[in-house]
């Protein structure tokens, strides 16, 4: 079951949140009314935040196994998926963080574990630094804390301009992003599938559901700056996870773990930037132990002890 829930984000922007399964049942023998009021027996919340150009549906396989024990909600962030795409934005870091904050509060998810990929991971740790009362833990998937710089932004602008839009068919989408895209070093069918999910049919063919210019504006608000200071302010448990062939290098990932007060490290073999999408089994094997430890700490009615 997939259920859409409308959320009002920062500046009144309409956001689409998605619950991919029925909420888990409360433990047998518990007083449901009392448990809900106390918050003790409710299923722990997990907020899934996609990266730039992504959408909540990319989290569907993850949400299915999470929903066995958690209330898993994916959010289409502003400018993405089925959420509103205001022409004037704003597409700033503050706006994205405020949107996630609003979603957690309106859906009564907190304190929540935020699982973020790329840009969504940055949103997750910035939110954890800003609102520690709302965030129980954070999973940071393949997102760098270092500044990427002007050259990176120019490369993205040139890459967007190279897209052969419109695509005649979805098969053409899959082939171009999975094989023909100059950024693809070797054929990657799952990359093609990833981009097929963010295309919509129009009168002249298939086009992205997002504005490429808005994506560049969004990216410009974080690529020029480093984010180490905010990372150091994350007091909750945090898992830094990378694909071995992803964008986050091992040395930087391990430095991020060192900077985080409660940081942990994991990596997934044979995975690129889209770790959770193209290697779902490896992704689950890396993330689940972290979540199980959080659950064990909660069952023991104690806070995790800082190292």
């Amino acid at each position: 079951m997939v259920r859409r829930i409308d959320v009002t984000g920062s500046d009144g922007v309409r956001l689409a949140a998605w619950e991919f399964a029925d909420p888990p049942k409360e433990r047998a023998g518990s007083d449901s009314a009392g448990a809900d009021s106390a918050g003790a027996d409710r299923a722990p919340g997990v907020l899934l935040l996609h990266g730039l150009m992504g959408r909540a549906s990319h989290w569907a396989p993850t949400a299915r196994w999470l929903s066995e024990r958690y209330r898993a909600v994916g959010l289409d962030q502003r400018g993405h998926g089925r959420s509103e795409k205001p022409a004037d934005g704003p597409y700033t870091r503050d706006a994205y963080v405020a949107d996630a904050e609003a979603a957690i509060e309106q859906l009564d998810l907190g304190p929540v574990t935020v699982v973020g990929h790329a840009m969504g991971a940055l949103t997750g740790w910035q939110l954890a630094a800003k609102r520690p009362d709302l965030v129980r833990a954070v999973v940071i998937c393949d997102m760098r804390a270092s500044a990427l710089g002007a050259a990176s932004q120019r490369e993205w602008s040139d890459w967007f301009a190279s897209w052969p839009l419109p695509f005649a068919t979805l098969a053409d989408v899959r082939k171009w992003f999975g094989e023909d895209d100059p950024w693809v070093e070797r054929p990657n069918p799952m990359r093609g599938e990833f981009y097929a999910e963010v295309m919509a049919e129009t009168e002249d063919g298939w086009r992205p559901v997002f504005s490429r210019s808005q994506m560049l504006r969004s990216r410009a608000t974080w690529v020029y700056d480093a984010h180490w200071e905010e990372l150091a302010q994350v007091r909750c448990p945090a898992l830094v996870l990378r694909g071995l062939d992803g964008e986050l290098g091992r040395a930087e990932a391990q430095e991020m773990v060192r900077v985080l007060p409660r940081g942990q490290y994991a990596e997934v073999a044979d995975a690129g930037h889209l770790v959770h999408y193209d290697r779902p089994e490896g992704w689950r094997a890396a993330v689940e132990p972290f979540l199980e430890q959080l659950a064990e700490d909660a069952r023991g009615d104690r806070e995790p002890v800082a190292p």
Side-chain angles (χ1 to χ4, degrees), residues 154-205:
R154 288 193 298 270
E155 289 173 359
W156 272 72
S157 180
D158 292 343
W159 179 58
F160 277 143
S162 74
W163 290 17
L165 296 175
F167 292 97
T169 68
L170 277 180
D172 293 328
V173 173
R174 296 184 180 98
K175 185 175 186 301
W176 196 82
F177 286 101
E179 300 178 25
D180 300 337
D181 183 348
W183 280 19
V184 176
E185 295 181 358
R186 57 183 180 272
N188 185 342
M190 291 309 296
R191 187 175 187 270
E193 292 294 341
F194 182 93
Y195 283 97
E197 282 199 51
V198 293
M199 297 289 162
E201 190 171 18
T202 64
E203 291 182 359
D204 61 350

Side-chain angles (χ1 to χ4, degrees), residues 211-232:
S211 160
R212 289 172 292 169
S213 63
Q214 288 179 356
M215 296 300 99
L216 283 174
R217 287 164 57 193
S218 172
R219 196 172 185 272
T221 66
W222 51 267
V223 297
Y224 301 111
D225 300 314
H227 306 282
W228 295 99
E229 183 176 349
E230 293 154 304
L231 197 69

Side-chain angles (χ1 to χ4, degrees), residues 48-247:
L48 301 158
L49 297 178
H50 60 75
L52 192 73
M53 302 182 292
R55 64 187 308 171
S57 64
H58 285 142
W59 290 111
T62 296
R64 291 189 187 103
W65 62 262
L66 281 174
S67 64
E68 296 170 6
R69 297 176 59 181
Y70 306 91
R71 185 185 177 203
V73 176
L75 181 68
D76 280 341
Q77 297 177 79
R78 62 173 57 210
H80 297 74
R82 299 294 295 274
S83 288
E84 193 173 355
K85 305 168 179 64
D88 297 329
Y91 294 100
T92 63
R93 287 284 82 223
D94 287 345
Y96 281 110
V97 171
D99 286 347
E101 185 178 354
I104 293 168
E105 291 181 329
Q106 291 172 38
L107 299 175
D108 194 24
L109 286 173
V112 69
T113 296
V114 180
V115 179
H117 173 247
M119 182 189 75
L122 176 58
T123 299
W125 89 59
Q126 289 180 326
L127 175 62
K130 177 186 177 185
R131 291 291 307 273
D133 58 311
L134 287 184
V135 182
R136 183 193 308 273
V138 61
V139 176
I140 299 167
C141 179
D142 214 59
M143 180 62 189
R144 300 181 60 182
S146 298
L148 300 180
S152 173
Q153 189 73 346
R154 288 193 298 270
E155 289 173 359
W156 272 72
S157 180
D158 292 343
W159 179 58
F160 277 143
S162 74
W163 290 17
L165 296 175
F167 292 97
T169 68
L170 277 180
D172 293 328
V173 173
R174 296 184 180 98
K175 185 175 186 301
W176 196 82
F177 286 101
E179 300 178 25
D180 300 337
D181 183 348
W183 280 19
V184 176
E185 295 181 358
R186 57 183 180 272
N188 185 342
M190 291 309 296
R191 187 175 187 270
E193 292 294 341
F194 182 93
Y195 283 97
E197 282 199 51
V198 293
M199 297 289 162
E201 190 171 18
T202 64
E203 291 182 359
D204 61 350
W206 292 83
R207 295 180 177 274
V209 298
F210 52 79
S211 160
R212 289 172 292 169
S213 63
Q214 288 179 356
M215 296 300 99
L216 283 174
R217 287 164 57 193
S218 172
R219 196 172 185 272
T221 66
W222 51 267
V223 297
Y224 301 111
D225 300 314
H227 306 282
W228 295 99
E229 183 176 349
E230 293 154 304
L231 197 69
Q233 296 170 7
V234 176
R235 313 305 299 180
C236 63
L239 177 66
V240 177
L241 189 151
R242 60 181 288 268
L244 290 188
D245 297 322
E247 297 179 7

